[in-house]
Amino acid sequence: MPLEPLSQKDIEERLAELPGWSLDGDRIGRSYRLGSHFAAAAMVVHIAQVQDELDHHSDLTLGYHSVSLTVNTHSVGGAVTEKDFELARRVEELAAGHGAS
């Protein structure tokens, strides 16, 4: 089944289930604070692993004690799709294990 862009209503409903995530233009994103630069770097590596598993990659930024990511689906013209929310849910699942808030 081909990916379809989500409606604004669908995006808002899915974002309500992901505290901290928001819509920024044509992308969804979130920033996390961590206890150290090393913890942030470890989380980036873990996110990269998940992205490879899903074959879906975000823009991922490592800061001093932070990790930020934004994502949309290039294959549907840069719109937000269910695939973006699948990645967001996976990142949320791993964030707690890294002490991210």
Side-chain angles (χ1 to χ4, degrees), residues 13-26:
E13 288 173 357
R14 285 167 176 76
L15 284 172
E17 299 169 2
L18 291 167
W21 286 81
S22 62
L23 182 64
D24 183 13
D26 63 350

Side-chain angles (χ1 to χ4, degrees), residues 7-83:
S7 70
Q8 185 69 27
K9 181 178 183 262
D10 289 337
I11 292 169
E12 290 170 5
E13 288 173 357
R14 285 167 176 76
L15 284 172
E17 299 169 2
L18 291 167
W21 286 81
S22 62
L23 182 64
D24 183 13
D26 63 350
R27 307 171 77 76
I28 60 169
R30 170 143 190 208
S31 294
Y32 296 91
R33 295 284 304 157
L34 291 102
S36 68
H37 182 70
F38 186 82
M43 184 169 163
V44 166
V45 171
H46 200 168
I47 292 170
Q49 180 183 23
V50 168
Q51 291 179 142
D52 278 352
E53 288 172 15
L54 296 175
D55 192 26
H56 191 58
H57 301 83
S58 68
D59 288 336
L60 187 56
T61 304
L62 171 63
Y64 178 59
H65 283 198
S66 65
V67 174
S68 299
L69 67 151
T70 60
V71 64
N72 62 10
T73 304
H74 300 286
S75 64
V76 294
V80 176
T81 67
E82 185 56 45
K83 196 163 190 173

